[in-house]
Each structure stands twice: as structure tokens, then as C-alpha cells.
Amino acid sequence: MRKIIKPCGLHCIKINHLGVTIGEQEILKDINLHVHCGTMTAIIGKNGAGKSTLIRAILGEVPYSGEIAFKDRENGRAQKLRIGYVPQHMNVEKSTPVSVYDMIASYQSNIPVFLYKSKKLYQDIKNTLKMFAAEHLIDKQVCNLSGGELQRVLLSMAVMDEPNLLLLDEPVSGIDQNGMELFYQNIAYLRENFDLAVILISHDLDYVERYADHVVLLDREILAQGNAREVYSSDAFRRVFTDREVV
């Protein structure tokens, strides 16, 4: 089982002057963020503000200008950034006979899972699932998981490789209230006990206010950032939203 590490507080992900232009359209402009380990940064904004594009840029899925770097503040060494990612949606065909173990193992081993089942890897995966109260799902077919179960499995898979940065793109979309509570409790646990930073895209302003350390209001560029109270009381927030519900 993975050893729990208290956040060191010394590392950070630095995003400097990031921009994304696709064709003639400027999607993101001059984005500057410092995200420290042991913290959760929530990105909020209306649909079309560029939130998911920012995630895709960090993942290297779209070309961008500027710099994304993982820095060690203690000695300035540049290190390779390990990223975990939980998408907004994952489409699984109902006829797909793949178990939770098979899906996660396929990302962890170079040996095809149908040729060899590693007892050690099986136990490692089960231990990671256990952190999110999902160990009983290890042999269940992915296509038969509920939305909340799939979300916990994806979260387990995202932290298997001990990422420095966990990216969450509206991961509770379609999850009921109880599932959302469990999700945010899980993220709080990761933030407090693991040496990683979390960037979360969310439309759930109340949960953001309760759990996020830093909030960024995005609309092509950063309009406001700070703690939730500072951002929610800003003129920029009032200009973007007519009420407390993000649409």
C-alpha cells in the first residue's frame, strides 16, 4: 500500500503566460498560476470560458504558448511533472466485458492483462481502491458501475502513479448529492495526506467555497483569483454571474 506523505509545501506547478489559439480564435490569454502541493485550486467560469482547454493544455493535448513547469522551490531543480487526470465523462459500452482490475492494470503493466494476472498488482490496485471505499468493485465490470462508483474508480486510477498534480475536469457531473459529498471528502483527504496539488474545474460554488484553498475565475483570461470569499465578492464575479449558480 502506498505510504502516506504529508505535503512538503516546497514544490509548485508554475504556469507562466500560457496562451491557446486555435485557428483565428484566442481561447486562453496570458494565464499565470502557481499551484502548490497540498492545496486545491478550483477553476470556475461559465461554459466556453476556456476551463477544459486549460486542462488539455496542461495535459499536452493542445498546443500552447508560454510555460508549464514543475519547480522545486528549495533548490530550483526542474523535475518531470507526473499528472493524474479524472475526466468529466467516460463512455463505456454496455457490452464491454472489462473489469475494474483489467482497466487499471492495463495502465500499470506492459504485459496484456489477459495473459497474466499479477497477485501483487491486484493487491496494489485493491489497496488504492480501498482509500476511496471502492475495493469491493475490483472484479466488477466497468460497464455495470454507477456514476458514483465509476468516479471513485477513476480517482483511484489517477493516483496509482503517485502524481504531483491531479487534474479534475468536472468529475462529479451527474453524481447525486451523497456522491458529491464523498468525492469532496476524498479530495480533501488526498490534499491533506499526499504530496500533490489539485486543480479542479467545478460548477459547484458551494463546494468550492468549502473545500478550495484558491479560486480562479476564468473567462479566456484570469478575471479574479484568491480565496472563495475574495473571488465571490469581486466585481468580476458579479459581471460574469447574475446569481450564485454557474450555468
Side-chain angles (χ1 to χ4, degrees):
M1 185 172 182
R2 172 180 166 160
K3 180 181 177 182
I4 294 177
I5 304 172
K6 285 292 183 181
C8 64
L10 298 175
H11 304 301
C12 66
I13 290 87
K14 294 184 178 180
I15 300 174
N16 298 319
H17 305 293
L18 184 142
V20 175
T21 299
I22 299 176
E24 299 294 323
Q25 186 177 8
E26 186 177 48
I27 309 296
L28 292 172
K29 175 184 178 182
D30 198 28
I31 304 299
N32 294 279
L33 289 174
H34 286 189
V35 184
H36 293 271
C37 72
T39 66
M40 181 195 297
T41 297
I43 311 294
I44 64 171
K46 286 199 170 184
N47 290 335
K51 303 185 300 294
S52 292
T53 299
L54 176 59
I55 294 291
R56 293 178 64 199
I58 296 172
L59 289 169
E61 293 181 353
V62 295
Y64 60 87
S65 58
E67 178 191 32
I68 301 173
F70 177 48
K71 301 292 186 181
D72 183 331
R73 232 176 23 171
E74 190 173 52
N75 58 29
R77 286 186 298 112
Q79 302 182 44
K80 183 178 180 181
L81 178 61
R82 299 189 306 276
I83 299 176
Y85 172 55
V86 178
Q88 181 176 356
H89 300 293
M90 180 176 176
N91 295 321
V92 181
E93 293 290 336
K94 282 296 182 183
S95 59
T96 304
V98 176
S99 71
V100 168
Y101 167 79
D102 291 337
M103 181 176 72
I104 300 178
S106 67
Y107 286 91
Q108 296 294 317
S109 175
N110 293 325
I111 302 174
V113 294
F114 60 85
L115 293 179
Y116 175 71
K117 189 170 186 176
S118 166
K119 291 182 179 179
K120 181 181 183 304
L121 181 56
Y122 185 92
Q123 192 59 51
D124 287 344
I125 291 172
K126 191 171 184 178
N127 286 339
T128 303
L129 289 166
K130 188 175 182 178
M131 291 193 300
F132 306 102
E135 69 274 19
H136 62 289
L137 301 174
I138 190 167
D139 296 315
K140 192 171 181 178
Q141 289 189 349
V142 176
C143 62
N144 292 326
L145 298 178
S146 69
E149 289 173 338
L150 179 59
Q151 176 261 339
R152 281 183 283 159
V153 167
L154 292 176
L155 193 56
S156 301
M157 187 163 65
V159 302
M160 276 290 292
D161 290 329
E162 303 184 11
N164 309 115
L165 175 63
L166 181 60
L167 300 176
L168 307 169
D169 188 357
E170 298 184 44
V172 293
S173 178
I175 305 300
D176 62 22
Q177 195 73 22
N178 290 335
M180 287 176 62
E181 288 284 354
L182 179 59
F183 169 81
Y184 280 98
Q185 290 169 12
N186 286 332
I187 297 304
Y189 171 81
L190 288 176
R191 181 190 60 186
E192 292 166 3
N193 293 281
F194 287 72
D195 190 13
L196 57 76
V198 178
I199 295 179
L200 166 74
I201 292 177
S202 180
H203 284 179
D204 306 301
L205 295 183
D206 290 334
Y207 284 98
V208 166
E209 187 171 16
R210 285 167 55 188
Y211 288 99
D213 300 289
H214 193 72
V215 179
V216 176
L217 174 60
L218 187 68
D219 187 6
R220 194 171 64 90
E221 57 187 332
I222 294 177
L223 302 181
Q225 61 178 311
N227 62 42
R229 180 173 297 182
E230 290 168 340
V231 173
Y232 291 3
S233 63
S234 67
D235 291 338
F237 185 89
R238 286 189 287 271
R239 287 197 303 270
V240 171
F241 303 122
T242 57
D243 55 34
R244 285 295 306 273
E245 181 181 5
V246 182
V247 296

